[in-house]
Amino acid sequence: MDLKKKVMYTLSTGLLACTFSFAPLSAPSVAEAADWGLIGNIFGTVSQAAMEYDQVQTYLLNWGNSPETQQKTLNETVEKYGLDTSVEHNERVSRVLNQLIDHGHYAMEPNSLPFRWRVINNDEWNAACYPNDFIEVNSGLLNDLHSDDALAAVMSHEMIHGLHQHIAKDAPKQVLYKYGTALLTMKADVLQATLGSYIGNYISVKNTTNLSEADADEYGFYLHCSAGFNPGGFSAMTLNMAKGDNTDRNIIKEIFTGAYNHPASQKRFEQAQQRMEEYGYNHVKVKNGTEIFIDDKHFMTAGETPELADWENAYLIAGGICKGIHDYSTVEAWGFGTPDFLSDIAYKDLKNALNDPSLSASLQTMLTNAYALDIHDNDYRSTKAKLRKAEKERNDKITKRQKEVMSAENASSYEGHFEGYTKLGLNVLAYKEAEKAYKADPNSYIQTGNMSRALNALNAEYREKHNTWNDDYTQKAIEYTDKALKICQDNSIDDTYWLYSNMAYYQMQAQNYATSNEAALKAISLKPDEKSNYRFVGYNSLMLGDKGSAVKYYSLYLNHGGDREMVPSELSNEVQANARTLEEIYDANE
């Protein structure tokens, strides 16, 4: 959650290749200057500020767009703190993050990486997202948050930091604030300059990391709900923070000791509570910590459970009601009395509370009244219309951005991610990025061919585990290669060779030996000095019962520098007898 910590880590641990010189910030060097000299220095300072702003932002965006730096950050974090090896903790984080990633409504920028995470052995109540979309989750957080919905609130908050590229935007702004402070204090005396510096730092934090944290709370809530989590989870999580937050928010103290880089926890809780209420169209409220009201009528008072405090339970029950009102347009759609009633896990806490039949009947009556108010009461009707309009506008904006980023001009960025993850041996992530590149530019033989490469890498992993090829992976790799070859007809020999060579290999996996030979021979005709396709033809010929061709092509394979250990044992003597090295061939003709 500590965004400033991640900004400072990124800027101070050797991860930035460029250095940031704030030499012009030294006010005394210009205090005696003439007015025109001062004006010239101001222009110089502004120019350098703009240059460094661009440098910082460009570097951070590039650094955050590298699978290699993501892996490095992961490794360094694990090395520093150690992994939390609790299977329960890791399964929880995996379950929650995968639900957010797979079902949440969001748009990821082309220069952002897929999210990766590790649970680290740290008792601090914290989680953080780095600029390269690596999420660090502390074991102390998991020990304290027993609800997956509350944990999802933290994870969605962190995902928004990555999705909105907060660090890459905040760090350059802090550069400008520092230069701005320098300009304001250029002709000031030492006391004024010092005070100005303190105030400048305070304003910088309040207008960068504080705003980004508020943004992560707001859009994290909507991401959290869109993925199907209980909207009360955000209230429960932020109230948990507020109960443990004893910080002194005195503005004078903050100016001289350093501004807090997060908004006040109590304020964050109140905003989360308001968003939960609005999600249920302002029908449901929690009062006095544990009492749940529907349209200002008392519904129930929450009690504690073995895992949850009474106040946590109150917000999760209330959040369940808000979710139902939001998702179901009538009371009949709730399915009272049917097997499908509140079957979604997000309603778990509400469903447990409704084990009391009288409470269930009361809820049904109160919901009937709530839906009637949305139709017949002008205030409720207009409020609901306004909230639904705002939600539609948010969702439309995300949908529009989703379409924009999946364009042919961004395919190369996804291709870069694919190549990076392939080099790291992270084949699942490589496949996902190859798929993005293909969807962005389905008419590119490069992106189409990379889909077959990605599938083949997954197939190799499958074979290592199961000692056989995955037929589905093989067939899909053949299909993508065939499509790429049709697109690539008039392109370079290198690319056409690559595709034919891959096709020969995939058809061989599928035991289509004659078809594999056709592709391998075409590849040989394009690049006769490459060895691998001679081996493919040799193997295919052996499988087809043509021993003569097998001996011939395995011999050619060896002649082109092939490995003798790759020759089948039953052909070893004959192939060895016929094989000559390239040097021997040259010597015989010169």
Side-chain angles (χ1 to χ4, degrees), residues 71 87 103 226 240 265 290 339 351 380 411 413-414 474 505 542:
Q71 183 65 45
V87 173
H103 301 289
S226 71
N240 187 306
S265 297
T290 60
K351 192 170 185 177
Y380 275 99
S413 183
Y414 305 131
T474 299
Y505 184 59
L542 186 62

Side-chain angles (χ1 to χ4, degrees), residues 45 82 117 226 344 400 421 590:
T45 301
W117 58 269
S226 71
D344 193 305
K400 180 182 177 183
Y421 286 122
E590 294 178 353

Side-chain angles (χ1 to χ4, degrees), residues 27 68 85 140 154 168 181 226 283 329 363 370 498 508 514 554 561 573:
E68 290 79 8
T85 57
V154 178
T181 301
S226 71
H283 288 290
S329 57
L363 176 62
W498 159 61
M508 194 167 62
Y554 269 115
N573 291 334

Side-chain angles (χ1 to χ4, degrees), residues 314-336:
Y315 281 100
L316 292 170
I317 293 170
I321 302 172
C322 289
K323 177 176 171 58
I325 291 173
H326 179 277
D327 292 354
Y328 300 130
S329 57
T330 65
V331 70
E332 289 76 19
W334 282 67
F336 280 91

Side-chain angles (χ1 to χ4, degrees), residues 4 191-206 248-260:
K4 182 180 179 184
L191 180 61
Q192 289 174 323
T194 301
L195 179 59
S197 178
Y198 279 126
I199 294 173
N201 289 335
Y202 173 83
I203 293 173
S204 172
V205 172
K206 289 298 183 185
D248 182 1
R249 292 282 173 163
N250 182 289
I251 185 172
I252 301 300
K253 182 179 178 181
E254 281 198 71
I255 287 173
F256 288 101
T257 63
Y260 293 104

Side-chain angles (χ1 to χ4, degrees), residues 16 29 58 67 69 120 122 138 140 228 285 321 391 430 472 487 556:
L16 288 181
S29 64
T58 299
T69 67
I120 62 170
N122 189 331
N138 288 3
K285 296 182 184 294
I321 302 172
E391 181 177 25
D472 188 45
I487 299 172
L556 288 168

